[in-house]
Amino acid sequence: MNFNIIDIEEIDSTNSFALKQFSVGELKGGDVILANYQTSGRGQTQNSWESEKGMNLTFSIVLEPKTIDASKQFLITQVVSLAIFNTLQGIVNSNELSIKWPNDIYFGNKKIAGILVQNIITGNKISCSIIGIGLNVNQERFISDAPNPISIKNIFGNELDTQLLLKSLLYTFSETHKLILTAESVYKLKREYLLKLYKYNVEHTYLDKGGRFSGTIRDVDEYGRLIIIDHSQSERKYMFKEVEFLIDK
Ligand code: BTN
């Protein structure tokens, strides 16, 4: 995959900008919108994304997947989560790093990167996917009410070159992206994703609309639903936001 990086000093949100520009034919697959500063960076579900000017990576990759069914959007989530995970693992090399379902990157119990994928569906295919990535690199203090941010600098104490990190992330993304091409590699993609998953195969406390319960993550299905086995060995399946991970005490 060839990438064309479009560097912007300041923008409201790279995702909003990319969606707008793609819909008027000004962007195509492989374009990457990189902002030094976002005035209203967007997070999942109405949240905002805090990123101090020039300190971190905030960018959106434009992808034109063509062959992915709308119902299989989770493939993109897995590719991008795994790509960020593997890139960061090359730097921090720690078993504290994980992917928190569906697509947060965690170090210990803290969030180091967030992903916001917004798809344009044509017929039953994904015609365009805007993959927004916010990765905390050199920022030392976070002032928003985000519960648990952490940066690479917080972990190591030294600064990283964000441009080099972006190059390595895009390379890993294009390699990981190849895994969506065949049924065998899609299976491999899921295995790899599962093995990196926060609280995979260990008992943890969750909250759903029925209250608190204890259970163990066993799988994710092709639609991205999280599968947790509870104490009575029942399988519970959740879409995003239907279940909350409670903090370890
Ligand atoms: C989350 O809530 O975890 C998702 C955060 C995604 C933030 C990135 S920063 C670049 C891109 N542009 C945005 O407005 N949001 C995403």
Side-chain angles (χ1 to χ4, degrees):
M1 204 180 291
N2 288 321
F3 296 105
N4 167 41
I5 300 174
I6 300 161
D7 230 314
I8 297 181
E9 178 54 32
E10 185 172 308
I11 194 85
D12 53 351
S13 147
T14 57
N15 263 43
S16 308
F17 178 79
L19 276 169
K20 240 178 292 157
Q21 295 299 101
F22 182 85
S23 62
V24 294
E26 293 290 324
L27 290 177
K28 57 181 188 330
D31 287 340
V32 176
I33 309 296
L34 172 69
N36 202 34
Y37 183 61
Q38 295 184 118
T39 52
S40 60
R42 300 170 57 183
Q44 310 263 8
T45 60
Q46 314 312 317
N47 288 335
S48 57
W49 182 256
E50 175 188 351
S51 181
E52 196 178 330
K53 195 178 228 165
M55 288 297 185
N56 305 307
L57 278 174
T58 49
F59 64 101
S60 301
I61 304 171
V62 181
L63 196 71
E64 290 185 89
K66 300 201 173 71
T67 56
I68 304 182
D69 279 0
S71 64
K72 302 285 167 59
Q73 305 187 5
F74 187 57
L75 284 176
I76 296 174
T77 300
Q78 289 174 93
V79 166
V80 62
S81 308
L82 206 55
I84 301 175
F85 176 95
N86 285 335
T87 309
L88 287 179
Q89 194 58 299
I91 300 166
V92 301
N93 188 22
S94 160
N95 56 14
E96 296 262 9
L97 201 66
S98 66
I99 300 170
K100 184 173 177 232
W101 176 86
N103 58 2
D104 286 341
I105 311 298
Y106 263 47
F107 183 82
N109 290 320
K110 296 184 170 216
K111 180 162 163 175
I112 191 161
I115 301 164
L116 178 64
V117 179
Q118 296 181 282
N119 294 313
I120 301 174
I121 311 291
T122 310
N124 66 344
K125 300 275 182 224
I126 301 175
S127 50
C128 172
S129 190
I130 305 292
I131 301 168
I133 298 172
L135 172 57
N136 299 330
V137 186
N138 294 322
Q139 183 164 345
E140 286 183 88
R141 274 173 292 278
F142 294 84
I143 52 173
S144 75
D145 54 5
N148 52 354
I150 192 170
S151 67
I152 301 178
K153 172 114 193 245
N154 289 150
I155 300 170
F156 281 129
N158 48 356
E159 301 212 338
L160 237 66
D161 182 327
T162 51
Q163 294 292 329
L164 285 180
L165 185 56
L166 175 65
K167 297 262 155 59
S168 123
L169 224 153
L170 291 175
Y171 173 76
T172 313
F173 176 82
S174 70
E175 289 299 301
T176 315
H177 182 259
K178 293 176 186 160
L179 292 174
I180 64 173
L181 296 179
T182 68
E184 287 83 4
S185 59
V186 162
Y187 180 74
K188 182 168 178 241
L189 174 65
K190 182 173 122 168
R191 287 300 312 157
E192 291 205 14
Y193 173 88
L194 275 180
L195 290 173
K196 312 301 175 341
L197 217 50
Y198 180 74
K199 303 295 177 195
Y200 178 59
N201 268 340
V202 292
E203 193 164 324
H204 188 68
T205 310
Y206 297 92
L207 179 70
D208 70 6
K209 61 179 176 357
R212 289 168 75 105
F213 68 97
S214 181
T216 305
I217 297 175
R218 283 280 188 258
D219 207 353
V220 286
D221 71 11
E222 59 183 322
Y223 307 108
R225 289 180 296 193
L226 185 68
I227 301 174
I228 300 178
I229 306 290
D230 66 17
H231 268 181
S232 55
Q233 298 306 309
S234 304
E235 197 176 273
R236 304 186 184 209
K237 282 191 182 181
Y238 299 99
M239 292 302 283
F240 185 47
K241 291 288 165 194
E242 290 178 348
V243 66
E244 192 183 322
F245 293 64
L246 295 180
I247 310 283
D248 282 328
K249 290 274 180 295

